[in-house]
Amino acid sequence: MALTANAEALLRVSEVTKTFGGVAAVDGVSFSVRPGESVGLVGPNGAGKTTLFNCVCGQLRPERGTIELNGRSLNGMATFERARLGIGRTYQRVEVFSDMNVRDHLIVSVRARWRQGRLWRDLCNLSKPTADERERVDAVLDLVGLSDRADTSVSALGLGSCRLVELARALIAEPVLLMADEPSSGLDVHETRELGAVLRQVQRDQGMAMILVEHDLEMVAEVVDRTVVMNLGQVVAEGHFDTVMADPIVRSAYLGLHE
Amino acid sequence: MQHLLGFGIPGVPYGCTYALVAVGLVLTYQATGVLNFAYGAQAYLSAFVFTYLVQNQHLPVGVAFVISVVILAPAVGLILDRLLFRKIAPANVIAKLVTGISMLVGIPAVLSVLFTTSNQYNPPSILFDPNVVYFHLVGTPINGIAVTCVVATAVTLIALVVLMRWTNLGLQMRGAVESRRLIELDGVNSGRVVASAWAISGFIAGLAGVLLAPIYGQLQFSDYAALMVAAFAAAAWAVLRSLPVAVLVGILMGITVTVLQGYLPVGSIWSSAALTSLPFVVLVGALLLVPGMRTLGQDKDPLASVDPPPPPIAAAVRAPEFDRVIKILWYVLLVAFSLSMLTWMPKIWENVFNAGLAYSVVFLSITLITGMGGQLSLCQATLAGVGAFTAAQVADRLGANLLVGALVGALVAALVAVVLATASVRLRGLGLALMTIAAALVFDNAIFAQVATIRGQSINVTSSSVGFGILNPNGRAFFVLAMVVLSVCVVLVLRVRNGSIGRFLGAMRGSSTAASGIGVNLTWMHVLVFGLSGAVAGLGGTLLAINQQAVNTQTFSWSFSLVFVVVVVTTGVSTPEGAIQAGFSFVVLQQLLTYVPSRLGGNSLLVILFAFGALTYVAHPEGILEFQKRRWTMRFERLLLRQRTSSTDISGPDAGATAGDGQLARVAADSDPALDR
Ligand SMILES: Nc1ncnc2c1ncn2[C@@H]1O[C@H](COP(=O)(O)OP(=O)(O)O)[C@@H](O)[C@H]1O
Ligand SMILES: [Mg+2]
């Protein structure tokens, strides 16, 4: 792969603006993520973090700005095409496939990512999970700690487990960029700590880049290399977690709306 | 110019009714989020009662109008809201559609049972005499119907503008346009806003109904369905939002129809097809060209994230050992049935069951598109017809066997489905339903009539055209053929369901957001599953035609498409089993009804039964029959297990199970610990 001038950045977001009814939810945001880097995206509620995620993965079309992955513009590309390029994510509002079991969540993810689902294969009854697929599914389930619930329907799982299912579903597709949207919301302290450990481990093992939106700052501090702070649709600070958190602008954004 | 006006002016009354109905549809959609598919039936109901009161009870027109339009019509709107639509979760598009369609099918059927006569002629006009020409406009005589339509529409629209602009209620209703939850948070009584919207739109439906009635000499439900579809088209251009645009497009459509009819050669197919084809074209145009229609299905409510995620549907569990017993029972039943069909089955019932097999194939196509694809199609009978007519025509042209034609027919039906799916792909949820009901009317009125004859004769299926002794009088060969076709279809559907495509579709139904987020091409899935559904429906259509030994338009009329949907939804839309149950209950009940006195309603009773059965979809999306089966299975199972184990450990529900509400869930949760053993 030829290295161009900006190939150093895996994801490059430039001047992205997305408005809802005239109000800018994301307002000229620029930042980039290097391969293998883990970035925390924090900010008060309504700062535009989820909206930014939706712009990156294609669920929303920004009015202005460009988003590039590996130097390739994603503008005009459908969500599923971006997913096949290796953008994986989890959702703030849990989005699981309600009548499927945990294992099928992972299998469907593998097959969608590498376009392995073919009608003729189904018709010839060649679509049973392969040994290779089962092995990979088991490995990922083991990693996130869902092995004992592989054959449970997600409708019988609690919110915490559903978040893990989402994470596993994203991980098995071996994303080059994982975007996790408040993975710890709805989890208890213990589960949150476990989740943090899992995130750190997979990030190191698989060497993927990650953007973590999270309200639990302790977890952010543990997991990320760099932190971007958003407020009212704009990036207000960027840098190492401790430095950023010492920034008075950041403190006021947080203190103003939180405590 | 003179010509143009002369042709266009007679279209104004049509345009007025289109505009009114479009306004009513937009109003309910904005205030409640329901695209009301029952609307055509509401209009028909008022027109029917009005005509009945005047013609049969000899009430004065004014009194009849007050009863049928001022009182009855808003009441029906309120009842629909209270008893049905209010109970449906806002995001459950399919449940809203199914409920509307149940009523669209059910209300006319109830009317024909209650009033025994479904034919009413010469409906009166509410204001001016239809037989008097009041004045001439650019040489065109203007009779009482036109004057009445224009006056009534203008008055209603002005009243509506006053209401929306200058009253508190109107303000709140406009607020509902922005966000239903916002007004709730503002402390406004949103229940009142919603109820008012239903009552007002109910009144408008009733008014449009009695206005349209005298335009046609005879009161026919299909005219009201066509009216509703035309109004859908107008409302689509208004992005289901702007009342002025809806009115404008509605009136323009009315005018365009008569202009087209004026310029097209008299008596030609094009001329008679214009009335039903135009709404389809306009609707397709809106879906393709109006940008706002694309995002319609998406959640635009800025406070949406306040909502908890929808409750998970209850997962039905059956112990493996019990599953095996049930399976064996099914096989025993199947063998016993097949042997009976091949030996002693009386002629009447043999025919009934053969028809049941053919219907099962058609209904399997609904399992595909609705159960697996999560979309509602309102043209499955049409697709079956496309298959059957193509088969007959191809077999005739090529001198080939009808069974060869059946394959070509299935292919063509699949192509038609693919085209419809492609055109509606931008509007998920509502899109396919809108597109398909419009398409069904077009095929019915413009296309099937063209292919329903061969050399001027209606098409009969003869033993020579099918061969293999399939049309032997004893019906056994047909039974074998139908069994083979059905089995092959079921096996293929099951393979797709359990394969990759089935998983993609399951993901899409569960969460389209997450499905596209992992790389599922929703557009392709949508087109693919409807294409498959079309192929199966087309095959089933030819089978049905062979069974009936004729290919005629009645079998495949648009209204059957609606009936098919409620039938399958009642028995169970998510499994092939449900489709087979649907096929058999449809024909068996039909046969049983021939034994009861016909004054009880005959086939209308059947339609009513299924229409109301389909209403249970909201509570039991798996089908009421399926639900009852599972429930009894569970009870039975618990009984068995309780006997085997001591009853000590069948105590509380599993703490980990967060099953949704509903009896099934409770039963499932109750028996979970026992099943885990
Ligand atoms: N679909 C939408 N329609 C209208 N407004 C929206 C929509 N999604 C988000 N918003 C608005 O955009 C702003 C940013 O929201 P969001 O991205 O969810 O913030 P965060 O994830 O940082 O809490 C909020 O003010 C929110 O109300
Ligand atoms: Mg968010």
PDB file of all heavy atoms in Angstrom, chain A residues 44-51 92 181-182 213 215, ligand 2:
ATOM      1  N   PRO A  44     -20.185  16.643  27.660  1.00  0.00           N
ATOM      2  CA  PRO A  44     -21.493  16.511  28.304  1.00  0.00           C
ATOM      3  C   PRO A  44     -22.545  15.960  27.348  1.00  0.00           C
ATOM      4  O   PRO A  44     -22.316  15.896  26.135  1.00  0.00           O
ATOM      5  CB  PRO A  44     -21.828  17.947  28.712  1.00  0.00           C
ATOM      6  CG  PRO A  44     -20.986  18.809  27.845  1.00  0.00           C
ATOM      7  CD  PRO A  44     -19.747  18.037  27.561  1.00  0.00           C
ATOM      8  N   ASN A  45     -23.681  15.587  27.882  1.00  0.00           N
ATOM      9  CA  ASN A  45     -24.787  15.108  27.052  1.00  0.00           C
ATOM     10  C   ASN A  45     -25.188  16.157  26.041  1.00  0.00           C
ATOM     11  O   ASN A  45     -25.243  17.337  26.356  1.00  0.00           O
ATOM     12  CB  ASN A  45     -26.000  14.789  27.934  1.00  0.00           C
ATOM     13  CG  ASN A  45     -25.964  13.366  28.426  1.00  0.00           C
ATOM     14  OD1 ASN A  45     -25.502  12.483  27.709  1.00  0.00           O
ATOM     15  ND2 ASN A  45     -26.409  13.158  29.642  1.00  0.00           N
ATOM     16  N   GLY A  46     -25.452  15.715  24.819  1.00  0.00           N
ATOM     17  CA  GLY A  46     -25.861  16.660  23.793  1.00  0.00           C
ATOM     18  C   GLY A  46     -24.695  17.362  23.137  1.00  0.00           C
ATOM     19  O   GLY A  46     -24.894  18.263  22.331  1.00  0.00           O
ATOM     20  N   ALA A  47     -23.469  16.948  23.440  1.00  0.00           N
ATOM     21  CA  ALA A  47     -22.305  17.594  22.846  1.00  0.00           C
ATOM     22  C   ALA A  47     -22.157  17.247  21.371  1.00  0.00           C
ATOM     23  O   ALA A  47     -21.468  17.936  20.630  1.00  0.00           O
ATOM     24  CB  ALA A  47     -21.052  17.190  23.605  1.00  0.00           C
ATOM     25  N   GLY A  48     -22.807  16.160  20.941  1.00  0.00           N
ATOM     26  CA  GLY A  48     -22.721  15.781  19.537  1.00  0.00           C
ATOM     27  C   GLY A  48     -21.856  14.567  19.280  1.00  0.00           C
ATOM     28  O   GLY A  48     -21.521  14.279  18.132  1.00  0.00           O
ATOM     29  N   LYS A  49     -21.514  13.844  20.320  1.00  0.00           N
ATOM     30  CA  LYS A  49     -20.631  12.688  20.152  1.00  0.00           C
ATOM     31  C   LYS A  49     -21.297  11.587  19.331  1.00  0.00           C
ATOM     32  O   LYS A  49     -20.718  11.067  18.375  1.00  0.00           O
ATOM     33  CB  LYS A  49     -20.231  12.145  21.544  1.00  0.00           C
ATOM     34  CG  LYS A  49     -19.652  13.205  22.467  1.00  0.00           C
ATOM     35  CD  LYS A  49     -19.325  12.658  23.829  1.00  0.00           C
ATOM     36  CE  LYS A  49     -20.498  12.171  24.634  1.00  0.00           C
ATOM     37  NZ  LYS A  49     -21.399  13.201  25.166  1.00  0.00           N
ATOM     38  N   THR A  50     -22.526  11.265  19.723  1.00  0.00           N
ATOM     39  CA  THR A  50     -23.234  10.211  18.988  1.00  0.00           C
ATOM     40  C   THR A  50     -23.486  10.634  17.548  1.00  0.00           C
ATOM     41  O   THR A  50     -23.358   9.836  16.618  1.00  0.00           O
ATOM     42  CB  THR A  50     -24.557   9.882  19.696  1.00  0.00           C
ATOM     43  OG1 THR A  50     -24.273   9.461  21.016  1.00  0.00           O
ATOM     44  CG2 THR A  50     -25.323   8.802  18.978  1.00  0.00           C
ATOM     45  N   THR A  51     -23.838  11.891  17.371  1.00  0.00           N
ATOM     46  CA  THR A  51     -24.061  12.396  16.021  1.00  0.00           C
ATOM     47  C   THR A  51     -22.795  12.267  15.177  1.00  0.00           C
ATOM     48  O   THR A  51     -22.850  11.871  14.010  1.00  0.00           O
ATOM     49  CB  THR A  51     -24.519  13.866  16.077  1.00  0.00           C
ATOM     50  OG1 THR A  51     -25.640  13.960  16.950  1.00  0.00           O
ATOM     51  CG2 THR A  51     -24.893  14.379  14.715  1.00  0.00           C
ATOM     52  N   GLN A  92     -25.245   3.658  21.622  1.00  0.00           N
ATOM     53  CA  GLN A  92     -25.636   4.178  22.929  1.00  0.00           C
ATOM     54  C   GLN A  92     -26.948   3.543  23.375  1.00  0.00           C
ATOM     55  O   GLN A  92     -27.063   3.047  24.482  1.00  0.00           O
ATOM     56  CB  GLN A  92     -25.779   5.693  22.854  1.00  0.00           C
ATOM     57  CG  GLN A  92     -26.090   6.317  24.190  1.00  0.00           C
ATOM     58  CD  GLN A  92     -26.071   7.824  24.114  1.00  0.00           C
ATOM     59  OE1 GLN A  92     -25.725   8.424  23.096  1.00  0.00           O
ATOM     60  NE2 GLN A  92     -26.448   8.462  25.195  1.00  0.00           N
ATOM     61  N   ASP A 181     -19.866   3.549  21.831  1.00  0.00           N
ATOM     62  CA  ASP A 181     -20.653   4.681  22.316  1.00  0.00           C
ATOM     63  C   ASP A 181     -21.213   4.371  23.698  1.00  0.00           C
ATOM     64  O   ASP A 181     -22.159   3.605  23.831  1.00  0.00           O
ATOM     65  CB  ASP A 181     -21.786   4.978  21.329  1.00  0.00           C
ATOM     66  CG  ASP A 181     -22.345   6.381  21.515  1.00  0.00           C
ATOM     67  OD1 ASP A 181     -22.041   7.007  22.546  1.00  0.00           O
ATOM     68  OD2 ASP A 181     -23.083   6.847  20.623  1.00  0.00           O
ATOM     69  N   GLU A 182     -20.611   4.948  24.704  1.00  0.00           N
ATOM     70  CA  GLU A 182     -21.008   4.750  26.094  1.00  0.00           C
ATOM     71  C   GLU A 182     -21.227   3.280  26.433  1.00  0.00           C
ATOM     72  O   GLU A 182     -22.314   2.887  26.861  1.00  0.00           O
ATOM     73  CB  GLU A 182     -22.283   5.562  26.396  1.00  0.00           C
ATOM     74  CG  GLU A 182     -22.092   7.010  26.038  1.00  0.00           C
ATOM     75  CD  GLU A 182     -23.042   7.948  26.784  1.00  0.00           C
ATOM     76  OE1 GLU A 182     -23.750   7.474  27.673  1.00  0.00           O
ATOM     77  OE2 GLU A 182     -23.019   9.138  26.475  1.00  0.00           O
ATOM     78  N   VAL A 213     -16.436   6.687  23.435  1.00  0.00           N
ATOM     79  CA  VAL A 213     -17.262   7.721  24.065  1.00  0.00           C
ATOM     80  C   VAL A 213     -17.688   7.171  25.404  1.00  0.00           C
ATOM     81  O   VAL A 213     -18.202   6.059  25.479  1.00  0.00           O
ATOM     82  CB  VAL A 213     -18.514   8.037  23.216  1.00  0.00           C
ATOM     83  CG1 VAL A 213     -19.506   8.867  24.015  1.00  0.00           C
ATOM     84  CG2 VAL A 213     -18.128   8.770  21.956  1.00  0.00           C
ATOM     85  N   HIS A 215     -18.826   8.194  29.698  1.00  0.00           N
ATOM     86  CA  HIS A 215     -19.016   9.141  30.794  1.00  0.00           C
ATOM     87  C   HIS A 215     -18.179   8.763  32.007  1.00  0.00           C
ATOM     88  O   HIS A 215     -17.880   9.606  32.845  1.00  0.00           O
ATOM     89  CB  HIS A 215     -20.492   9.212  31.186  1.00  0.00           C
ATOM     90  CG  HIS A 215     -21.278  10.127  30.302  1.00  0.00           C
ATOM     91  ND1 HIS A 215     -20.880  11.417  30.057  1.00  0.00           N
ATOM     92  CD2 HIS A 215     -22.403   9.938  29.593  1.00  0.00           C
ATOM     93  CE1 HIS A 215     -21.743  11.987  29.240  1.00  0.00           C
ATOM     94  NE2 HIS A 215     -22.670  11.105  28.928  1.00  0.00           N
TER      95      HIS A 215
HETATM   96 MG    MG C   2     -24.612  10.130  22.846  1.00  0.00          MG
END
